[in-house]
Amino acid sequence: MKREIQIRKATLEDRDSLWQIISLVINKGDTYVFAPTSSKKTMMSYWLTESNHVFVAEIGGVICGTYLLRDNQPDLGSHIANGSYMVHPEFQGMGIGKTMGEHSLETAKSLNYKAIQFNIVVKSNESAIKLWKKLGFEVIGEIPEAFQHVQLGLTNAYIMHRKL
């Protein structure tokens, strides 16, 4: 029986659950630019900053994923959103990333963004690239050796974009 994925705005009470997901994801050193040794304080300051729109995905009341939207650039570039998405490793493959992606497209529209752009999608992160393409994102650029992958060394990254 498939359990329903619920998405809601994150609260400060979600900090410990958010940190659990974020620390597990960045600890791998294969998809996010944050150092695997980043502290909870550093990551919570980044993730929960007041200008971010932060959401959590839950299954049966358990937080299993999170995403945020924010202005990709300040001022005259603020009409394009930037998004970051993380799924707890124990919940991967259950459609949580897709559900958060779809939710973020609608949320970004409701916040009057005109597009969403991802500035660094690690080229070796094939599952993310496949998901974003399925949701209508296009690769609009490739940055040579943009990411210091823990296992692969310097790795290219994509810039991905989707109009809303």
Side-chain angles (χ1 to χ4, degrees):
M1 178 178 169
K2 189 173 179 183
R3 306 214 37 197
E4 189 174 341
I5 301 165
Q6 300 288 327
I7 308 251
R8 64 170 174 79
K9 282 192 87 72
T11 68
L12 290 177
E13 290 75 35
D14 297 326
R15 290 171 76 91
D16 289 339
S17 295
L18 290 171
W19 171 240
Q20 183 182 32
I21 293 168
I22 292 167
S23 65
L24 289 169
V25 171
I26 67 172
N27 189 49
K28 293 180 182 179
D30 61 354
T31 58
Y32 268 86
V33 296
F34 304 107
T37 57
S38 295
S39 71
K40 180 178 182 179
K41 180 180 179 183
T42 297
M43 292 311 302
M44 290 299 95
S45 292
Y46 173 83
W47 205 261
L48 294 174
T49 191
E50 194 172 310
S51 58
N52 289 349
H53 304 276
V54 182
F55 295 84
V56 294
E58 294 179 320
I59 296 178
V62 175
I63 295 175
C64 50
T66 182
Y67 82 87
L68 68 82
L69 292 173
R70 65 184 191 179
D71 297 352
N72 191 51
Q73 297 293 331
D75 301 330
L76 301 180
S78 64
H79 61 288
I80 297 176
N82 177 262
S84 295
Y85 307 75
M86 293 188 186
V87 175
H88 191 294
E90 291 178 14
F91 292 88
Q92 289 179 347
M94 298 175 67
I96 295 161
K98 181 176 184 254
T99 300
M100 291 192 304
E102 291 168 341
H103 188 272
S104 72
L105 292 171
E106 292 304 314
T107 300
K109 280 184 201 175
S110 74
L111 294 169
N112 295 316
Y113 286 113
K114 306 299 181 211
I116 298 179
Q117 180 172 310
F118 306 138
N119 299 322
I120 185 165
V121 181
V122 179
K123 190 173 181 178
S124 61
N125 189 356
E126 294 173 1
S127 60
I129 294 163
K130 182 179 175 183
L131 170 63
W132 299 129
K133 285 182 175 180
K134 187 176 184 177
L135 292 179
F137 285 80
E138 295 179 50
V139 173
I140 61 168
E142 184 169 344
I143 311 163
E145 299 182 342
F147 184 76
Q148 298 176 54
H149 195 288
V150 168
Q151 280 101 21
L152 304 175
L154 292 177
T155 305
N156 289 9
Y158 291 135
I159 302 167
M160 299 186 78
H161 181 273
R162 183 189 190 277
K163 283 189 171 184
L164 298 173

